[in-house]
Amino acid sequence: MSQVTEPGFAGKPHGHGEAHGDHSHDAQGTFRSYMIGFVLSVILTAIPFWLVMANVLNDTLLTSIVIMALAAVQIVVHMIYFLHMNTKSEGGWTFLALLFTLTLVVITLVGSIWVMYHMDQNMMPTSPQEALQRP
């Protein structure tokens, strides 16, 4: 690794692999934080699997809602424990970008579901027998 000196660092050499600037080391995860994130991710994956395979709730709509809620929680766990996202990193801009992205995703998904629901409701009802008899 080559050694480079920069002005302002009093001639202290540093390698290219080292961090430049004033970055805190809190953004790096510890083994403990990675293990907490891993265990939470496994649990948040196993619960929906168990709900579906054991047919625990006996209602597909309720099961779907619970699975979606657990998926949202798992996304948050990944962002906190693996991506190290918080309101303090990079002056809050990563969190603001995340909120903007989530807003766009929610608008897109809700809009798509709304359009598909109304298209389904406004289609002409036909039974399979009527569809076969049409020219």
Side-chain angles (χ1 to χ4, degrees):
M1 182 169 5
S2 65
Q3 299 293 325
V4 179
T5 60
E6 285 187 20
F9 285 103
K12 293 181 185 176
H14 68 280
H16 289 279
E18 297 177 20
H20 294 280
D22 186 25
H23 298 292
S24 70
H25 294 285
D26 295 337
Q28 298 296 323
T30 62
F31 179 75
R32 182 176 182 266
S33 71
Y34 281 119
M35 286 310 295
I36 290 171
F38 176 73
V39 169
L40 287 174
S41 296
V42 168
I43 290 170
L44 291 170
T45 301
I47 291 173
F49 183 79
W50 170 71
L51 288 174
V52 171
M53 295 305 289
N55 198 15
V56 175
L57 299 178
N58 294 326
D59 182 18
T60 56
L61 180 63
L62 182 61
T63 303
S64 301
I65 291 171
V66 170
I67 289 172
M68 292 303 233
L70 289 171
V73 171
Q74 190 167 24
I75 289 170
V76 172
V77 166
H78 282 240
M79 288 187 320
I80 292 171
Y81 287 102
F82 299 123
L83 298 177
H84 311 294
M85 291 184 74
N86 57 27
T87 56
K88 297 174 191 150
S89 63
E90 297 190 26
W93 284 107
T94 55
F95 187 71
L96 189 61
L98 171 72
L99 288 178
F100 179 69
T101 303
L102 288 177
T103 303
L104 290 178
V105 167
V106 167
I107 289 171
T108 304
L109 290 177
V110 170
S112 298
I113 292 170
W114 179 71
V115 166
M116 288 187 284
Y117 173 77
H118 283 285
M119 286 181 68
D120 181 54
Q121 292 299 315
N122 293 326
M123 289 185 71
M124 218 174 355
T126 59
S127 68
Q129 290 80 19
E130 291 175 354
L132 290 175
Q133 294 175 357
R134 287 195 166 179

